Structure formats: C-alpha cells, structure tokens
Amino acid sequence: MSAFPSSRLAQDGVLDLTRTAVVLADRTGVVRGWTAGAERLLGYPASRAVGRPLAEVFAGTDPRQPPQDAAWRDRLAADGWSGLAAVRRSDGHRLDLELRVLPVLDAHERSLRLVLAAEMARTPWSGASRSLLDGILGMSPVGVAMLNSDLQYVWLNDALERMGGSPSAERVGKRIGEVQPGLPGESIEAEMRRVLRTGVPSVGVEYLGRPRSEPQREHAYSTSFFRLEDEAGHVLGVCYMVLDVTESYRARQRMALLSRAGERIGSSLNVWQTAQELADAAVPDLADFVTVDLLEAMVSGEEPSSGPVDAAALFAMRRAGQRSVQEGCPEAVVAVGEPAAYPPSAPVVLSLTGGDSLLLPALDLDGSDWPADDPVRAARLRELGVHSLMVVPLRARGTFLGAATFARRQPIGPFQPDDLVLAEEFVTRAAISLDNARRFTREHTAALTLQRSLLPRALPEQSAVDAAYRYLPADSSTGVGGDWFDVIPLSGARVALVVGDVVGHGVHAAATMGRLRAAVQALADLDLAPDEVLAHLDDMVNRVAHDANSDDGVIGATCLYAVYDPVSCCCTLARAGHPPPLLVSPAGARPLVELPTGPPLGLGQMPFESAELPLPEGSLLALYTNGLLLGKALDLDGGITRLRTALANPQAPLEDICETVISSLPGPRPVDDVALLLARTRALPKEQLAVWDIAADPSAVGEARRSAVGQLARWGLEKLEFSTELIVSELVTNAIRHASGPIRLRMIRDGTLICEVSDGSSTAPHLRHARTTDEGGRGLFLIAQYAERWGARYTADGKFIWAELPLETVSEALPASALIDAFADPDDR
C-alpha cells in the first residue's frame, strides 16, 4: 500500500494530517481503521467505530434522519472525492467538516478508501464568520463562491447552486470551466488571477453565458471579485459575487435595438426601401433571417382592404425585402420583387387571416400540415437548421399591408415572448412608414403632368455660378417626375440654388409643388435667410394640409435652399429633410456638406438652421434628390460613392459632368425621380467692386456722389451718372437721417450696375406718395422710377438698401441737376 506524505497535504492549505481525522474503510463503506485523531474529532473510540458503516460514524446533524448511505456510496465509488459535510459528533454536537476520500492503492486493486476529515474551524477558511456564512448560505439572493489560489471551488452558497444548476458537491475542488462549460471560463479566470496578483477588486464585470440550469438560453451576469487573506496577510484565494442581470440586460438591448431601428426604418417614402430597412434592422440582433412580404395592392399603389386579409388575396403577395446572416439569403426561395405564394396552412397566411402575430418557439417541420403543403420552402429551412419562427402582420391605420417573418437557426435559442414584443415594435414602426410611402406612391403618377408644367424650362442668366441640370423621371413613359429645382438671381449679384421633393397625397401634391416653387421665388425676392425661407415654406405646407380634405391632404415636402455670394465666396445653406449636397473643391476633395438636419416641411414646431461655408472660386456644388442615389439594391452609401466617382473631373464642362452622373445610374431607368443641379462657383473680380465707408454726417452725401461718379468713369459708364447720382444721394441721405452706423456704400458692376447702402438699423423703408406741399418723401419713389429693381435685405448687423440699374442708357425725364436741386437737402449738395 502506498504512502500519503503529510507534507503534501499540508501544502494544500486545506487539510493537515497533524490535525486531521484519518479513517480507513473498505469499498462497502465499513470502517476498517480508526486513529486517535478520528477519536478526538468525532468522539468515538476505535472499539465503537471499527466495523460500523461510515454513514453512522459520520451521521447527519438531524438524529431523526436515517444514515446517508447513498451519499457515502457515491463518495466511495469515485476515484477521489472532496467536499463539505455537516455531521453529528458522538455527544450530539454539530461539526462542519471538510472531507477528502482517497483510493488506497495495492498490488491488485483499489479495494480500500482513506477518509480524511478536518473541522472547518481548523482550516485557513475559518477566518470567515460563521454567522455571516450561515446568512449568505441561507438568505442571500446573490451568488457567492470562494476559490483557493488554484481557482478551485472551496465553498459556494445556495443561491449560486440554484443560479448555475450544479450542486456544491460537484463544484468543490473543480474550476469554473469544468462545472460550467457554457460560461466564458478563460476570461473569468483571467480576471480572478489579476485580482489575486494585484489585490485590486473588480466590480460589475459583465459577461454572457449559458448555465447548466438553462443551457438553451443565454444569460447575462454581473460579477465582482475580491481577494481573500488571512489575519497574517497570506493570500487564501478569491471570492466572487454574481447577479443574474439577464432581464435588465435584455431590456437595455431591446431599447438600444429599437433606437437603432428607429434611425434606420422609414428614411424615405419608398415602399421597397422601407421594407428592406425593416429586414436590415432585425438581422442579426433579433433574427437570423427576415422576410417582408407585401400585398399586391401595396406595390401597385391601390388601397388595401381593412381588417384581416381574405385568404384569396394572399395568393398575390410580393417579396419586398429580406435579409440573412448568411450572404445571399440561402433561406429564401424567392428574390426581392418576385411573387411570394404560400399555401393556406402556412404561418404567414394564418397570421394575416387571423389578424394576430404568431409565435412558434419550436418549429415543427415534420409533423405539421404546412411543410407537406410547401415542401420546397420547408426543405430549405430544414436543411439550414431553422427551428423557431415569428410572423407579425404589417398593419397601419386599420389596414393590413403584408407580413414580416422572423426565423432563427441553430445553435441560437428559440424565440421568447419578449422577442415577439420587440418584433411587433419593429413592424409597427415600419408599417406606418410603409403606409405613408404607399399613399405617396398611389398619387404620384397622377400628378406627373401637372408637376412637369411647373418646372423651369431654362435657367436664368446670372454671373455668380455656372449651372447645369438634369431631370430624369422614374416613369419614362410620361417624361415627368415629382422633384423640382430652381436657380434664382438675388440682389447683390448673389444667387439662390433650390432643390426639393414634394410628398403627400393626390394631385394636390403636384399643385403644392407649384405653390412651393412660387413661394420660394417670392421669398427669395425678399432676401430672407435660408432657414427663414424654409420656416415660411413649412407654415405654408401646414396651411395647405389643413385646408385640404383628409383623403387628399399634403403631408409635406423636402427642400434644400442655398445662397451663394460671389463677393465673399461664401454659401449659406439649410435643408428640410433633404439629402445634403456634395461639394467638390478645386483641389478635388469630394465631401458631403455637413448641414444641420431639419425636419421635412409640414411637420411644424421644429426649427431650421442655416450653415455657412466658404466656397473658393471653381468649387463644384452638386444638389440632388434621393432618386440619384438609389439603385435596384436601394444602397444609399453606394449611390454616394457612385456620385463621387462621376464627379472625379470637376473641371470638365458641366453638361458633360451631368451626362456622366446620369449614365452612372444602374439599370435602364431610376427607381425614383432624379433631379440634379450642378453649380460651379465664380468669384466677382475685385475691379468690379467698389466700397466706401460713409460718415454719419449730411455733408458726406456729396462726397458719396462724387465717389460714385468717379467709379463710373473708371468703369466707362459715364452715361449712368445721372441716375446713379440720384440713387446714391437718396440712399445715403436716408441712411444718415433714419438709421444708425456704420454706413457703407457699395457698387458692383455685374450684368447690371448695383448700388447698395448698408447701415446698422433694421427699420424697413417703404414707398409712399408725397403730397404737393410735402418737402420730402419722394426719394424712394424716384429710385423706383429710375432703377430696374430695388429692395432691402436684412443681416445680423442691420440691412442693405439696394437698387439695380441696366447698363444701357435710360431716358432722362428731367436734368439731373434739376432733380437733385428739387429733392436733395441744401447741406448735401
């Protein structure tokens, strides 16, 4: 028989033969040897112990319970066993023991067992308060375990037993990976080793795993680790406390997933894109495979019937979107755009005809009727390991639009009821967006002719930018579409660039496009800032929607409004739900312009913001509608990449660039209307600009006239002296009399001669008819008679009063000197 050196046991730090009961037993559990240590510990002399079963000398604490013969048979049958036991001493007192059962080797077989027993109070773990341990064992909902320095379990409480599904007897002496293979044992032990090495606790370490108590479901745990030391500071091991935070973790995951879905679903008024966004948002976080099937009425733009769907209508469904965790969607038997037919027993049909969601945690592909009625689809799902299914009807405003199907494959666990709640949230959001898209599509075709009549036929002349455009409708048979664009000359040689897209219902949307375009032109003439223009348009769309009836009312529109100034080479932009423009710098960089995201027109109660950016001369600005970015794959990022590639040569003629952009569109025609407006910026030459600061003194009026006349001579425009003197005199006089400084006179020679006076006041000038006895009040009237256009625009620092004169000579009704003597103050002559 081999020996067991006491030094080896002492080094373990748990049992020491100098203070351990040693008992020799045969394989049947009968005591064959008894030591003095065993007599001291258990109170039985050798005469009373030898020959008795171990279950009697290590009796349980309750004398009314029978001996634990079965437990001891299990302990003796193993090659070795260790664990904890509460026993009753011969005098009735309770003993908490740590036991080890070791096989004794002889020449033939392992016929004897060596039982080592030590009282817990005599081991290094006795530093823990007994009352504390009892409390943790009996009452704490937190799982607690103690491990030695080899990261083997020494002790754990009842809560951890319930949490992990394995009793303490199976854990003691083993490592976490041996008893819980479904947990990330390596990373957990790495953290425990760090705590053992540094002594710095870890708090709130979260990880995912599948416990033995519920291996089919993934759980989330929050664990804290700290080092255990004895009174002398020697390291005993590590203790960890663990909470099952699966529910809160799942709640956080659901909220995060819903938030991401809200950002992704409904980004356009395109039925196909919205359906695909629903599928994309659910994979892989919720499901492994998702399909979105729409009723044929949804695709054709007709009105689907309300209430549960008649089974006959389900023979005319169409696949609108699908997504899989595997490339190419191998689970699908039809492609996007193709008809999707189901037998009456299929879950999709049962869900739509019944009007409720359907949850199949365990999908039976062998025993139910549906696989037999649809063998091709069932065989594909069976081959790929699909085992759980959910079907949620797409329903909006009481109308059924189609159904979304969610599937899971092995080894992911089955769908749970909370997964169905999450899927219904997804589908509800998508259904509203789909219904909005359907209503838009239904009336879009009817409005095309009207919209075409309201589009610009040619771009106006102006010198701020070189411009070119293309307009490509999705419906090539009618040659028209629903988008619009405009180039509007503004005061001060500036220009407004506009691109928009009406959304809504019925032919009223086409009329609204015309009203919006007319309103933009009128607001542009008022020289409002881009954000103010959009705010006024938003109010107008709200009024139109309010005045229209409930069936044909317009919901809104998207719009991008930009103003470019060739004097400062700056551009101010604002957008209302519209894609940002693409900027190509003279150096060749092609970024998307970062603009504040404003809501689409018609929502109301949301402010719009303008952004200003410098545009060096030769910069190329591309304004477009989202139809330019969408191909058959409905890939916005791919569309941006395609547009950037088409604009790779920004110095080419704009007409050639337009052709390059349009020819880069995938397919014979776009999936949505396309409007493209290209503008290459110009800078006003310095020799065409003159600026003077004017003192706030009446005597400065005469000097301003003389400066203006001198500049006209340098420009060779002497024939305009009369009208220019009159206009400059009146504008400067009004600024000195009625406004505050600083006052500045600016003249620009462009397609016309532009005279501007700026001041620090925001008071608006107005034209009035003076009586014959009035000494003044005729200045603006005279300006209106001699100027081709005149007006006012406001800035953050005040206002500009401006007037434009044609470069051709105008007829003079009265000599200049006579008019000036009649209407100017004597002090400013």
Side-chain angles (χ1 to χ4, degrees):
M1 183 173 61
S2 62
F4 290 86
S6 60
S7 60
R8 174 67 185 91
L9 295 173
Q11 289 172 1
D12 288 343
V14 178
L15 294 178
D16 189 341
L17 287 179
T18 61
R19 52 187 184 186
T20 299
V22 180
V23 179
L24 190 65
D26 59 23
R27 296 185 62 177
T28 63
V30 176
V31 176
R32 299 303 181 189
W34 196 255
T35 63
E39 183 174 348
R40 285 194 301 270
L41 181 63
L42 298 171
Y44 295 106
S47 58
R48 293 182 54 192
V50 174
R52 295 178 63 186
L54 287 170
E56 293 183 4
V57 296
F58 289 93
T61 56
D62 189 352
R64 295 169 297 179
Q65 296 295 329
Q68 300 177 354
D69 295 317
W72 275 102
R73 281 196 298 271
D74 293 339
R75 296 167 185 170
L76 294 171
D79 290 339
W81 182 89
S82 64
L84 307 178
V87 304
R88 188 175 69 254
R89 202 170 182 273
S90 64
D91 56 9
H93 288 87
R94 172 184 172 131
L95 291 175
D96 290 310
L97 302 180
E98 182 169 353
L99 299 176
R100 285 195 181 182
V101 179
L102 305 173
V104 178
L105 305 179
D106 56 22
H108 303 288
E109 59 178 342
R110 301 178 180 183
S111 58
L112 298 176
R113 295 293 184 269
L114 191 64
V115 180
L116 308 179
E119 191 174 5
M120 286 291 292
R122 305 293 301 277
T123 68
W125 299 97
S126 61
S129 166
R130 177 57 185 271
S131 60
L132 173 63
L133 292 179
D134 287 344
I136 295 175
L137 278 168
M139 296 178 291
S140 174
V142 180
V144 183
M146 297 182 185
L147 295 84
N148 59 24
S149 57
D150 293 329
L151 302 185
Q152 296 169 328
Y153 282 100
V154 175
W155 172 87
L156 65 153
N157 69 346
D158 296 341
L160 188 60
E161 286 192 25
R162 295 188 297 269
M163 193 181 300
S166 56
S168 60
E170 294 183 11
R171 291 206 191 195
V172 171
K174 297 180 181 178
R175 293 166 60 171
I176 189 170
E178 299 177 84
V179 294
Q180 291 289 354
L183 300 184
E186 291 185 3
S187 61
I188 296 173
E189 288 191 348
E191 187 62 27
M192 288 192 288
R193 289 191 186 93
R194 189 197 65 79
V195 172
L196 280 173
R197 184 179 67 258
T198 65
V200 178
S202 292
V203 179
V205 177
E206 291 194 357
Y207 53 88
L208 302 176
R210 299 177 183 275
R212 289 175 57 183
S213 58
E214 199 174 5
Q216 73 280 5
R217 188 184 182 203
E218 191 172 57
H219 285 244
Y221 299 98
S222 177
T223 307
S224 298
F225 305 91
F226 57 91
R227 192 168 72 182
L228 295 174
E229 301 175 355
D230 61 15
E231 295 178 356
H234 299 134
V235 176
L236 301 178
V238 65
C239 177
Y240 73 79
M241 298 182 178
V242 58
L243 277 174
D244 190 325
V245 294
T246 303
E247 295 306 319
S248 62
Y249 172 80
R250 287 180 175 271
R252 293 197 307 270
Q253 293 294 101
R254 287 195 295 268
M255 292 301 296
L257 189 55
L258 281 176
S259 177
R260 293 195 297 271
E263 295 174 357
R264 299 177 64 179
I265 298 175
S267 64
S268 74
L269 287 171
N270 183 281
V271 171
W272 299 91
Q273 181 175 343
T274 303
Q276 186 61 46
E277 287 171 347
L278 169 59
D280 292 342
V283 176
D285 295 315
L286 178 61
D288 296 322
F289 176 57
V290 174
T291 63
V292 181
D293 298 316
L294 299 180
L295 299 178
E296 191 65 36
M298 275 289 299
V299 180
S300 62
E302 300 174 5
E303 186 74 24
S305 60
S306 60
V309 183
D310 182 65
L314 298 180
F315 289 105
M317 295 184 72
R318 194 168 293 273
R319 180 64 48 82
Q322 60 188 21
R323 181 68 181 270
S324 171
V325 293
Q326 286 193 314
E327 186 176 356
C329 291
E331 301 93 339
V333 297
V334 297
V336 172
E338 294 181 351
Y342 295 94
S345 58
V348 171
V349 177
L350 297 178
S351 176
L352 283 173
T353 54
D356 295 318
S357 300
L358 192 64
L359 172 62
L360 300 174
L363 182 62
D364 186 3
L365 292 173
D366 296 314
S368 59
D369 295 335
W370 164 55
D373 297 337
D374 195 355
V376 175
R377 185 176 279 109
R380 183 75 59 85
L381 298 181
R382 187 184 298 109
E383 175 187 353
L384 295 172
V386 174
H387 66 93
S388 190
L389 203 70
M390 295 187 299
V391 181
V392 181
L394 282 157
R395 177 169 44 198
R397 302 178 179 97
T399 300
F400 283 81
L401 313 177
T405 303
F406 304 81
R408 275 186 181 171
R409 303 170 52 181
Q410 297 288 0
I412 305 300
F415 287 117
Q416 303 294 327
D418 56 348
D419 293 319
L420 181 61
V421 173
L422 183 58
E424 289 174 336
E425 288 281 352
F426 271 48
V427 172
T428 298
R429 297 189 182 199
I432 296 297
S433 298
L434 282 169
D435 193 50
N436 290 340
R438 175 190 64 82
R439 290 169 180 251
F440 170 72
T441 304
R442 182 187 62 185
E443 301 299 336
H444 187 61
T445 302
L448 291 177
T449 302
L450 178 59
Q451 290 169 332
R452 183 182 188 185
S453 67
L454 298 173
L455 289 172
R457 297 181 179 272
L459 298 180
E461 293 185 3
Q462 44 78 41
S463 58
V465 298
D466 293 321
Y469 70 92
R470 287 293 184 274
Y471 192 81
L472 189 63
D475 189 350
S476 59
S477 61
T478 60
V480 292
D483 305 340
W484 98 89
F485 60 92
D486 241 327
V487 176
I488 307 172
L490 302 177
S491 65
R494 299 169 306 132
V495 67
L497 307 172
V498 189
V499 170
D501 186 0
V502 172
V503 296
H505 304 286
V507 294
H508 290 277
T512 299
M513 186 276 284
R515 295 170 71 175
L516 283 175
R517 182 168 177 251
V520 168
Q521 292 174 334
L523 294 169
D525 284 340
L526 295 177
D527 277 319
L528 298 178
D531 56 323
E532 295 182 49
V533 171
L534 295 182
H536 283 288
L537 290 177
D538 187 55
D539 292 339
M540 176 189 152
V541 174
N542 276 317
R543 288 194 300 271
V544 172
H546 179 75
D547 294 341
N549 63 57
S550 59
D551 292 331
D552 298 322
V554 174
I555 292 178
T558 67
C559 183
L560 173 65
Y561 187 89
V563 175
Y564 173 69
D565 185 351
V567 177
S568 63
C569 291
C570 285
C571 187
T572 305
L573 310 94
R575 61 173 175 147
H578 205 81
L582 187 69
L583 173 63
V584 184
S585 69
R590 290 164 285 175
L592 282 175
V593 178
E594 294 186 4
L595 295 180
T597 302
L601 299 173
L603 295 184
Q605 301 179 353
M606 296 287 287
F608 299 96
E609 297 182 49
S610 294
E612 184 175 304
L613 69 153
L615 292 183
E617 184 176 13
S619 298
L620 182 62
L621 199 62
L623 288 72
Y624 51 87
T625 55
N626 60 0
L628 186 70
L629 306 180
L630 298 178
K632 288 187 176 181
L634 305 179
D635 182 8
L636 288 175
D637 293 336
I640 293 293
T641 302
R642 188 174 62 248
L643 179 59
R644 282 196 174 103
T645 302
L647 298 177
N649 184 16
Q651 302 307 320
L654 293 182
E655 291 293 332
D656 294 346
I657 297 177
C658 284
E659 288 299 324
T660 301
V661 172
I662 296 303
S663 62
S664 69
L665 291 172
R669 66 181 186 183
V671 297
D672 194 10
D673 303 331
V674 172
L676 172 66
L677 178 61
L678 298 181
R680 181 182 289 134
T681 61
R682 297 176 182 170
L684 186 74
K686 293 182 179 180
E687 59 270 16
Q688 292 180 224
L689 174 69
V691 182
W692 300 274
D693 291 325
I694 306 299
D697 188 287
S699 63
V701 178
E703 180 62 30
R705 286 200 305 267
R706 288 188 289 273
S707 298
V709 170
Q711 186 62 48
L712 289 177
R714 286 188 289 274
W715 284 340
L717 300 176
E718 292 87 351
K719 294 181 179 181
L720 299 180
E721 285 183 6
F722 164 68
S723 51
T724 303
E725 277 191 275
L726 186 146
I727 290 173
V728 168
S729 180
E730 291 301 328
L731 294 181
V732 173
T733 299
N734 283 341
I736 293 174
R737 280 185 174 182
H738 305 296
S740 59
I743 300 173
R744 180 171 293 176
L745 169 64
R746 186 169 79 165
M747 294 176 62
I748 300 173
R749 179 183 177 178
D750 194 36
T752 59
L753 177 64
I754 304 170
C755 299
E756 297 181 336
V757 173
S758 62
D759 57 60
S761 170
S762 59
T763 304
H766 61 280
L767 183 67
R768 68 186 182 92
H769 296 279
R771 295 186 296 271
T772 56
T773 57
D774 290 345
E775 294 184 0
R778 299 175 179 85
L780 291 180
F781 178 78
L782 288 173
I783 293 174
Q785 294 300 310
Y786 281 89
E788 187 175 65
R789 295 195 311 157
W790 75 278
R793 69 176 183 270
Y794 297 89
T795 67
D797 301 321
K799 69 176 181 297
F800 281 82
I801 309 298
W802 56 269
E804 292 185 6
L805 293 168
L807 297 182
E808 304 85 22
T809 305
V810 296
S811 61
E812 298 184 354
L814 290 174
S817 58
L819 285 172
I820 294 175
D821 289 341
F823 299 113
D825 290 340
D827 296 335
D828 60 13
R829 295 174 187 167

